Amino acid sequence: MSDKKKGWDELPSLEGFQMDGDYSANDSLGNRWFERLTFGDVTEIFEVKAVPVRVATAGFTIDGTLSDISGGGIAVTLKKPLEEGQQAKIGLFMGRRKIVCRAVARQTAEIQNGYRIGFQFKDISEEDSTYINGLYSSKVLSR
Protein backbone atom coordinates (compact mmCIF):
# COMPACT_ATOMS: atom_id res chain seq x y z
CA MET A 1 0.00 0.00 0.00
CA SER A 2 1.35 3.41 -0.97
CA ASP A 3 1.45 6.33 1.46
CA LYS A 4 1.21 8.79 -1.42
CA LYS A 5 -2.26 10.38 -1.82
CA LYS A 6 -3.73 10.29 -5.28
CA GLY A 7 -4.98 13.51 -6.91
CA TRP A 8 -8.19 14.00 -8.83
CA ASP A 9 -6.33 13.74 -12.12
CA GLU A 10 -5.15 10.23 -11.24
CA LEU A 11 -8.66 8.80 -10.88
CA PRO A 12 -9.81 6.67 -13.82
CA SER A 13 -12.45 7.95 -16.23
CA LEU A 14 -16.05 6.76 -16.10
CA GLU A 15 -16.35 7.06 -19.86
CA GLY A 16 -18.51 4.26 -21.21
CA PHE A 17 -19.88 3.48 -17.74
CA GLN A 18 -23.34 1.87 -17.96
CA MET A 19 -25.71 0.22 -15.54
CA ASP A 20 -27.03 -3.25 -16.26
CA GLY A 21 -30.68 -2.60 -17.14
CA ASP A 22 -32.80 0.43 -16.31
CA TYR A 23 -33.63 1.21 -12.70
CA SER A 24 -37.26 1.59 -11.81
CA ALA A 25 -38.76 1.89 -8.35
CA ASN A 26 -40.65 -1.10 -7.03
CA ASP A 27 -43.28 0.92 -5.20
CA SER A 28 -45.04 4.29 -5.19
CA LEU A 29 -42.59 5.65 -2.59
CA GLY A 30 -39.72 5.30 -5.01
CA ASN A 31 -41.63 7.22 -7.67
CA ARG A 32 -42.16 10.34 -5.56
CA TRP A 33 -40.57 13.62 -6.55
CA PHE A 34 -40.78 15.05 -3.03
CA GLU A 35 -40.22 13.60 0.42
CA ARG A 36 -43.23 13.80 2.71
CA LEU A 37 -43.53 15.09 6.23
CA THR A 38 -46.08 13.01 8.13
CA PHE A 39 -48.66 14.25 10.62
CA GLY A 40 -46.30 13.15 13.42
CA ASP A 41 -43.32 14.92 11.86
CA VAL A 42 -45.17 18.22 11.55
CA THR A 43 -46.72 18.13 15.02
CA GLU A 44 -43.30 17.33 16.51
CA ILE A 45 -41.50 20.08 14.60
CA PHE A 46 -44.02 22.78 15.53
CA GLU A 47 -44.99 21.30 18.93
CA VAL A 48 -48.73 21.30 18.15
CA LYS A 49 -51.45 18.66 18.42
CA ALA A 50 -52.63 19.13 14.82
CA VAL A 51 -52.29 21.48 11.86
CA PRO A 52 -55.65 22.86 10.67
CA VAL A 53 -56.13 23.22 6.92
CA ARG A 54 -58.87 25.18 5.13
CA VAL A 55 -60.01 23.85 1.76
CA ALA A 56 -62.20 26.00 -0.50
CA THR A 57 -63.86 24.61 -3.62
CA ALA A 58 -66.38 26.23 -5.96
CA GLY A 59 -69.18 24.61 -3.95
CA PHE A 60 -68.07 24.82 -0.32
CA THR A 61 -65.36 25.69 2.19
CA ILE A 62 -64.39 23.13 4.81
CA ASP A 63 -61.82 22.86 7.57
CA GLY A 64 -59.74 19.74 7.96
CA THR A 65 -56.47 18.45 9.39
CA LEU A 66 -53.11 17.94 7.72
CA SER A 67 -52.22 14.26 7.20
CA ASP A 68 -48.92 14.81 5.40
CA ILE A 69 -47.21 17.42 3.25
CA SER A 70 -44.37 17.81 0.77
CA GLY A 71 -43.14 20.53 -1.52
CA GLY A 72 -45.41 19.11 -4.23
CA GLY A 73 -48.64 18.37 -2.40
CA ILE A 74 -50.63 17.78 0.74
CA ALA A 75 -52.97 15.16 2.15
CA VAL A 76 -55.84 16.46 4.28
CA THR A 77 -58.42 14.67 6.41
CA LEU A 78 -61.88 16.12 5.68
CA LYS A 79 -65.47 15.25 6.64
CA LYS A 80 -66.59 15.51 2.97
CA PRO A 81 -65.21 13.71 -0.07
CA LEU A 82 -63.86 15.49 -3.13
CA GLU A 83 -63.82 14.10 -6.63
CA GLU A 84 -60.47 13.41 -8.25
CA GLY A 85 -59.58 16.35 -10.46
CA GLN A 86 -61.61 18.81 -8.36
CA GLN A 87 -59.87 22.15 -7.99
CA ALA A 88 -59.47 23.81 -4.61
CA LYS A 89 -57.64 26.52 -2.77
CA ILE A 90 -55.66 25.33 0.26
CA GLY A 91 -54.66 27.46 3.25
CA LEU A 92 -52.67 26.54 6.35
CA PHE A 93 -50.04 27.79 8.77
CA MET A 94 -46.76 25.91 9.12
CA GLY A 95 -45.45 27.47 12.29
CA ARG A 96 -45.71 31.20 11.63
CA ARG A 97 -45.59 30.79 7.86
CA LYS A 98 -48.90 31.16 6.03
CA ILE A 99 -49.21 28.98 2.94
CA VAL A 100 -52.03 29.56 0.45
CA CYS A 101 -52.15 28.02 -3.02
CA ARG A 102 -54.30 26.32 -5.60
CA ALA A 103 -54.38 22.53 -5.73
CA VAL A 104 -56.07 19.64 -7.51
CA ALA A 105 -57.50 16.60 -5.73
CA ARG A 106 -55.60 13.54 -6.96
CA GLN A 107 -56.76 10.83 -4.55
CA THR A 108 -59.74 10.36 -2.25
CA ALA A 109 -59.91 7.52 0.28
CA GLU A 110 -62.59 6.89 2.88
CA ILE A 111 -61.08 6.48 6.34
CA GLN A 112 -62.44 6.04 9.85
CA ASN A 113 -62.97 9.75 10.60
CA GLY A 114 -63.97 10.96 7.14
CA TYR A 115 -61.93 11.17 3.96
CA ARG A 116 -58.24 11.49 3.23
CA ILE A 117 -57.79 13.72 0.20
CA GLY A 118 -54.44 13.92 -1.58
CA PHE A 119 -53.87 17.22 -3.39
CA GLN A 120 -51.19 18.21 -5.87
CA PHE A 121 -50.11 21.84 -5.50
CA LYS A 122 -50.62 23.83 -8.70
CA ASP A 123 -49.20 27.26 -7.96
CA ILE A 124 -47.28 27.00 -4.71
CA SER A 125 -44.58 29.65 -4.54
CA GLU A 126 -41.00 28.50 -4.86
CA GLU A 127 -40.32 30.00 -1.42
CA ASP A 128 -43.13 27.97 0.21
CA SER A 129 -42.09 24.75 -1.53
CA THR A 130 -38.48 25.31 -0.51
CA TYR A 131 -39.59 26.02 3.07
CA ILE A 132 -41.53 22.73 3.26
CA ASN A 133 -38.66 20.78 1.72
CA GLY A 134 -36.30 22.45 4.19
CA LEU A 135 -38.42 21.18 7.08
CA TYR A 136 -37.94 17.66 5.78
CA SER A 137 -34.19 18.20 5.52
CA SER A 138 -34.01 19.53 9.07
CA LYS A 139 -36.01 16.52 10.31
CA VAL A 140 -33.55 14.11 8.69
CA LEU A 141 -30.49 16.03 9.91
CA SER A 142 -31.78 16.22 13.50
CA ARG A 143 -31.77 12.41 13.82
Side-chain angles (χ1 to χ4, degrees):
M1 183 157 79
S2 171
D3 290 336
K4 182 182 172 202
K5 288 188 174 185
K6 294 193 182 260
W8 285 110
D9 294 334
E10 296 176 85
L11 295 176
S13 169
L14 292 178
E15 190 174 321
F17 175 76
Q18 292 183 355
M19 298 295 264
D20 294 333
D22 293 328
Y23 170 78
S24 93
N26 296 350
D27 59 13
S28 64
L29 294 176
N31 292 325
R32 294 199 172 139
W33 290 27
F34 300 95
E35 295 293 338
R36 293 183 182 184
L37 287 166
T38 65
F39 172 86
D41 295 333
V42 175
T43 57
E44 184 179 326
I45 289 168
F46 295 111
E47 298 177 346
V48 295
K49 292 184 180 181
V51 176
V53 179
R54 181 158 289 168
V55 177
T57 69
F60 61 88
T61 298
I62 187 169
D63 291 332
T65 305
L66 180 138
S67 292
D68 65 52
I69 192 167
S70 74
I74 186 171
V76 182
T77 301
L78 300 173
K79 295 289 184 193
K80 290 177 109 175
L82 271 73
E83 292 182 27
E84 290 181 20
Q86 190 168 358
Q87 296 184 11
K89 187 174 269 189
I90 307 282
L92 70 148
F93 283 92
M94 301 278 301
R96 294 180 183 212
R97 188 179 195 99
K98 179 175 156 182
I99 298 174
V100 177
C101 68
R102 291 183 303 139
V104 175
R106 293 293 182 206
Q107 297 177 346
T108 298
E110 191 169 0
I111 58 173
Q112 185 177 7
N113 298 328
Y115 299 87
R116 184 176 188 276
I117 315 296
F119 291 95
Q120 178 184 5
F121 293 139
K122 295 314 275 179
D123 69 349
I124 190 166
S125 71
E126 187 173 332
E127 294 82 19
D128 287 342
S129 182
T130 299
Y131 175 77
I132 294 165
N133 290 328
L135 293 173
Y136 179 81
S137 297
S138 67
K139 174 198 124 174
V140 171
L141 293 173
S142 70
R143 288 184 178 171

